[in-house]
Amino acid sequence: MFDNIVFTANIVAPVFLIIAVGYFAKRRKIINEVFVDVTSKFVFQISLPVFIFLKISVLDLSQVFEIKQIAYIYGATIIPYLLIWMGTIPFINNPKDKSAFIQGAFRGNYAIVGLALISNLFGDDALGKATLILAFLLPLYNVLAVIVLIVPKHQGKINFKSIFLEILFNPLILAVIFALPISYFKFILPEMFISTGTFLSDLALPLALVGIGGSLNMENLKRASNLAFSSSIIKVVVLPIVLTAIAFLLGYRNDDLGIMFILFACPTAIASFVMADAMGANSKLAGNIIMITTLGSVFTISFGILIIKSFGLI
């Protein structure tokens, strides 16, 4: 048991310690809001797309592409999304609160926290598979988020063309689109290109984690509402337990089960605040959910990995 605790600590601690570094650096005024904003844009538009491109471009798609796993992940995202939405109908009347609550409860920070944890837990082999899952998950997250941010407010017709173009030209989606042909046809990239890309991609996860820490505001925790805590409990407690248990019953084991647990257990994505703020939802509620789930996932992910490891499932 002690060995499993040490194993779990070695996996989880580095990720959340880097987040802590960002938080305390912000408190000591080593970094500021401008740093967080600029680095977030750099990671989203340059470093993380390069990271995803390099990981997918070297994959053997015949070995890592599992349509049944993708189908389960889609179902495990869409069905809870609809159930959460229906569950809010009797309890949340304000459409701005409803939108922020639902988005916070279903949309995880898999691209940053998830990939960092999977890298520590399973190494590069599983990271390639995890990145391919991200390629399918990103468009789904964006479509569902836009729908839930628009429909409750009844702001006229949904502009599907605008939504499609926004998703298509998302830097992370473009990275996938350009990488898949290279992977499929097994093109060998020039060494100079790979070396440059590696330098950029190595910045992606640590810089993003520092940015997450820098964006945390503990003062808001005191003012967080019951809605924020309820949405957070659904995100980091209820969904990981239920969805990982179903995956186990369906026969998933080892790195497949571990990847899906981390996917379901990730804290709420920072993008949920950005979208809530831009589209007129309750951005304060969205920010509080991000903060609570980020802090709470330190314990829930650690405990989950410990349990799964103790039963020899990963």
Side-chain angles (χ1 to χ4, degrees):
M1 185 65 175
F2 179 75
D3 289 342
N4 289 333
I5 293 174
V6 172
F7 173 85
T8 302
N10 288 336
I11 297 301
V12 176
V15 173
F16 289 101
L17 284 174
I18 295 176
I19 292 176
V21 168
Y23 172 74
F24 286 110
K26 174 77 176 304
R27 288 291 300 271
R28 295 296 301 273
K29 302 188 186 305
I30 298 171
I31 63 175
N32 55 22
E33 291 290 346
V34 174
F35 175 89
V36 173
D37 290 343
V38 171
T39 54
S40 294
K41 290 178 181 177
F42 179 83
V43 168
F44 179 72
Q45 296 185 14
I46 298 177
S47 192
L48 193 57
V50 172
F51 174 88
I52 290 171
F53 175 85
L54 290 180
K55 292 300 178 186
I56 293 180
S57 65
V58 297
L59 290 179
D60 183 348
L61 295 178
S62 63
Q63 297 296 319
V64 300
F65 182 72
E66 297 180 13
I67 187 63
K68 290 183 179 180
Q69 186 180 31
I70 299 296
Y72 174 69
I73 290 170
Y74 262 54
T77 302
I78 295 171
I79 294 173
Y81 169 84
L82 295 175
L83 291 175
I84 293 166
W85 195 329
M86 288 188 290
T88 64
I89 293 172
F91 303 107
I92 307 176
N93 296 321
N94 187 324
K96 295 183 178 181
D97 293 345
K98 188 190 296 285
S99 295
F101 181 97
I102 298 168
Q103 189 185 201
F106 91 89
R107 187 175 189 175
N109 199 345
Y110 177 66
I112 296 172
V113 176
L115 293 185
L117 287 167
I118 290 166
S119 177
N120 283 356
L121 185 57
F122 297 115
D124 283 344
D125 290 341
L127 189 58
K129 180 186 293 185
T131 305
L132 189 61
I133 290 172
L134 176 65
F136 287 89
L137 195 60
L138 279 172
L140 180 63
Y141 272 168
N142 280 286
V143 170
L144 295 181
V146 169
I147 291 172
V148 81
L149 288 167
I150 291 177
V151 172
K153 295 186 296 181
H154 302 291
Q155 291 185 348
K157 296 181 180 180
I158 299 175
N159 188 335
F160 288 102
K161 180 181 178 181
S162 176
I163 294 171
F164 173 76
L165 291 175
E166 183 178 341
I167 293 170
L168 180 63
F169 290 102
N170 181 305
L172 306 185
I173 300 297
L174 289 175
V176 174
I177 292 172
F178 288 122
L180 284 174
I182 294 174
S183 174
Y184 181 79
F185 292 107
K186 296 180 171 58
F187 291 138
I188 304 299
L189 297 171
E191 183 61 34
M192 179 177 64
F193 184 88
I194 295 175
S195 297
T196 304
T198 301
F199 283 132
L200 286 171
S201 67
D202 285 346
L203 293 172
L205 298 181
L207 197 58
L209 293 173
V210 169
I212 291 173
S215 66
L216 294 179
N217 186 341
M218 293 300 181
E219 291 300 315
N220 289 340
L221 186 61
K222 301 175 184 177
R223 299 189 291 271
S225 65
N226 290 333
L227 288 180
F229 283 103
S230 299
S231 179
S232 300
I233 289 171
I234 292 171
K235 181 68 196 75
V236 298
V237 177
V238 177
L239 292 185
I241 292 174
V242 173
L243 299 177
T244 306
I246 294 173
F248 171 78
L249 294 174
L250 291 174
Y252 289 101
R253 300 291 186 275
N254 302 320
D255 58 344
D256 285 333
L257 185 65
I259 287 171
M260 287 194 286
F261 165 71
I262 290 173
L263 188 159
F264 301 136
C266 279
T268 301
I270 293 177
S272 65
F273 170 82
V274 176
M275 292 189 67
D277 190 48
M279 301 180 71
N282 188 337
S283 58
K284 180 180 177 181
L285 175 59
N288 285 340
I289 293 169
I290 292 168
M291 180 183 59
I292 295 167
T293 56
T294 300
L295 297 174
S297 64
V298 177
F299 304 100
T300 56
I301 291 176
S302 299
F303 186 71
I305 292 175
L306 179 61
I307 294 298
I308 296 172
K309 176 69 175 174
S310 296
F311 282 95
L313 302 178
I314 59 174

